[in-house]
Amino acid sequence: MDRTVLLVGANRGIGLNLARALALRNWNVVASVRPQTRASNDPSIKEIEEVASMILEIDLAKEQTVADAAREFGDSPLDMLINIAGLGPEPDNWYEHSAELMTEKYVINTVGPFLTAKYFHPNLKLAQGKLINISSNAGSITMCKGEDLAYRMSKAALNMMTVTLAKEYKMNGDNIAAIALNPGYVATRLTSFRSRDNMEECIAGMVKVLESVGMDESGTFLDWRGETLPW
């Protein structure tokens, strides 16, 4: 296994399914879980332990856990970092939002992925790897139909962070590709198990995109079919 991927938020839903799919394609899977989840002996931990060669503990709301995880990972090359963990869309109505809720979604959905990109940057640079931020078409201003205000704002900010890092990487000669990827609307805890897309089909499509994108696609917003989405 000569390719290593770190999946941040890998013990459930898209993360667990992606971990399994990439392991089958001979990726060395490193997974992160929340310290609270691991401490609670959640059954999902055993599922990801069956797939991953290493489990790191990351709480995206606590920067020190990201720094500690990077230190534990060491100085090995990292071919791909996939930021999956996040908070979901609710509440629907704008007037139900509070400052606390909006801040929490921004911290987890935007700042957290930035921190993993920051602390694992040396590892990505060693491998001339890929930073994949799992976004959503809800983060597209062009496609906005209202509702889910804080979630949309946090994903739009994640998209901007992705593009900014892509340009920074290029300017600095890092040879790291940064991509925002919409995984499809699949049944997970984040979506309250509602869906419009089939999980297996979306995972297969995502794997194809993850393995095929490179510097030519850096700074783009793609969906699981490989199609470009509007900002």
Side-chain angles (χ1 to χ4, degrees):
M1 291 185 285
D2 57 353
R3 299 177 299 175
T4 298
V5 56
L6 168 58
L7 297 103
V8 178
N11 56 305
R12 294 192 184 90
I14 291 170
L16 181 58
N17 281 278
L18 257 185
R20 287 169 171 163
L22 289 169
L24 286 173
R25 295 184 61 80
N26 294 319
W27 283 81
N28 174 35
V29 173
V30 178
S32 93
V33 301
R34 295 170 71 233
Q36 306 93 308
T37 305
R38 199 174 198 181
S40 69
N41 292 316
D42 190 292
S44 67
I45 299 298
K46 290 183 178 178
E47 292 189 275
I48 190 60
E49 284 178 341
E50 292 174 358
V51 181
S53 65
M54 177 186 288
I55 305 288
L56 303 173
E57 294 186 1
I58 291 177
D59 181 341
L60 292 178
K62 297 179 179 178
E63 182 170 358
Q64 190 60 52
T65 69
V66 184
D68 290 344
R71 192 175 304 112
E72 183 179 349
F73 182 79
D75 57 4
S76 299
L78 181 60
D79 298 277
M80 188 154 57
L81 166 60
I82 310 178
N83 283 306
I84 304 163
L87 295 178
E90 284 75 17
D92 289 343
N93 299 312
W94 67 267
Y95 49 80
E96 296 178 78
H97 286 63
S98 65
E100 182 180 9
L101 182 146
M102 295 180 80
T103 301
E104 182 184 31
K105 287 199 194 297
Y106 181 72
V107 167
I108 301 299
N109 292 352
T110 310
V111 178
F114 165 74
L115 292 174
T116 65
K118 175 181 176 179
Y119 283 99
F120 287 91
H121 174 258
N123 310 92
L124 287 169
K125 189 174 178 180
L126 273 176
Q128 298 185 3
K130 306 173 188 181
L131 170 66
I132 310 293
N133 289 322
I134 298 301
S135 186
S136 168
N137 55 13
S140 166
I141 295 174
T142 302
M143 300 172 72
C144 180
K145 297 179 180 178
E147 297 186 333
D148 307 326
L149 178 65
Y151 180 74
R152 290 183 183 278
M153 290 172 66
S154 69
K155 289 298 187 179
L158 177 69
N159 288 349
M160 176 58 84
M161 185 262 282
T162 306
V163 173
T164 304
L165 287 182
K167 293 184 181 297
E168 292 269 1
Y169 293 156
K170 189 172 183 179
M171 278 193 295
N172 297 330
D174 289 343
N175 289 311
I176 300 170
I179 309 291
L181 180 61
N182 171 35
Y185 189 55
V186 292
T188 66
R189 193 164 70 164
L190 184 142
T191 65
S192 300
F193 299 99
R194 295 170 297 198
S195 67
R196 284 191 297 269
D197 300 311
N198 176 270
M199 177 71 83
E200 288 186 10
E201 188 179 357
C202 288
I203 293 296
M206 288 175 69
V207 168
K208 190 177 294 186
V209 172
L210 294 173
E211 292 190 329
S212 64
V213 293
M215 289 303 296
D216 287 346
E217 292 78 27
S218 190
T220 59
F221 185 16
L222 305 175
D223 74 3
W224 60 273
R225 302 176 186 86
E227 297 174 358
T228 302
L229 295 175
W231 298 114

